[in-house]
Amino acid sequence: MLRALAVDDERPSLEELLYLLCADPRIGSVEGAGDATEALRRINRALESGPDGPEAIDVVFLDIQMPGLDGLDLARLLTGFARPPLVVFVTAHEDFAVQAFDLKAVDYVLKPVRKERLGEAVRRAAELRGAARAAPQVPVHEPDPDHIPVELGGVTRFVAVDDITHVEARGDYARLHTDRGSHLVRIPLSTLEERWRTRGFVRIHRRHLVALRHIGELRLDAGTVSVVAGGEELQVSRRHARELRDLLMRRP
């Protein structure tokens, strides 16, 4: 039984897709999202819950052309996670099929959606999910743990994680700072904190994650603590100050 998320900014299309998915006996549960940003929040909860957790999602049925963050952008972000849900694109446009399958989409369903065609996509997703569950469990890693993709003027570039001095929270986004500039990515700070915990990144404030290797100074002033990383002075919250000092003392 698949746990599904349907994403479409057009309410009638979303309701029709939800209706068809609910009628398929292979779908155990399904919920809807009206845009990709809302869907990303929901998927983040699913990933934090784990593959067998109560918030888990097995497959996302995803429209492509949506205002703001579109379906292809969301699918690109999901490739950076260790255990992303499967993706089935459901769209009125034929032009994006090559990009969709480059992103390892399970299927590409054209609107208006026919019950039989959607059923074929569900079958493929169910088979893939079943095979993944039956396979021996092996450690799962990011496609490239040493780099993170960023979008610059329509071009994807890869920033080395070791070059990142600190990360700043921007709502559901995060700004990565390096000595050569900064880059905005559509990944919450909490996700990067978990992903890079073993790479020497520590939370120093609700808004900041810092690479220990790039901390040049620890400053104490009238009871407040701050660090200098990448040429910027960043405040350390009281709850993180003791842990940070201990980590810096143990740093080789």
Side-chain angles (χ1 to χ4, degrees), residues 165-166 168 177 204-205 207-210 214-237 244:
T165 59
H166 59 287
E168 179 185 0
H177 293 265
I204 63 167
H205 190 275
R207 294 187 60 239
H208 288 112
L209 191 66
V210 175
H214 287 293
I215 293 178
E217 296 180 22
L218 177 67
R219 297 177 177 176
L220 304 175
D221 182 19
T224 64
V225 181
S226 62
V227 296
V228 176
E232 291 189 43
E233 184 173 0
L234 307 170
Q235 184 178 355
V236 181
S237 65
L244 178 64

Side-chain angles (χ1 to χ4, degrees), residues 137-202:
Q137 296 298 307
V138 297
V140 177
H141 303 281
E142 294 178 359
D144 182 357
D146 295 324
H147 296 81
I148 182 169
V150 299
E151 296 289 330
L152 294 172
V155 177
T156 300
R157 298 183 182 177
F158 295 88
V159 174
V161 175
D162 287 346
D163 289 342
I164 297 170
T165 59
H166 59 287
V167 186
E168 179 185 0
R170 292 290 182 91
D172 292 325
Y173 295 68
R175 182 167 291 281
L176 312 177
H177 293 265
T178 72
D179 289 337
R180 292 182 293 278
S182 66
H183 311 278
L184 194 65
V185 294
R186 298 183 182 96
I187 306 176
L189 190 69
S190 58
T191 299
L192 293 177
E193 179 185 13
E194 179 64 26
R195 190 184 300 180
W196 291 344
R197 190 185 306 277
T198 59
R199 299 185 68 97
F201 283 81
V202 296

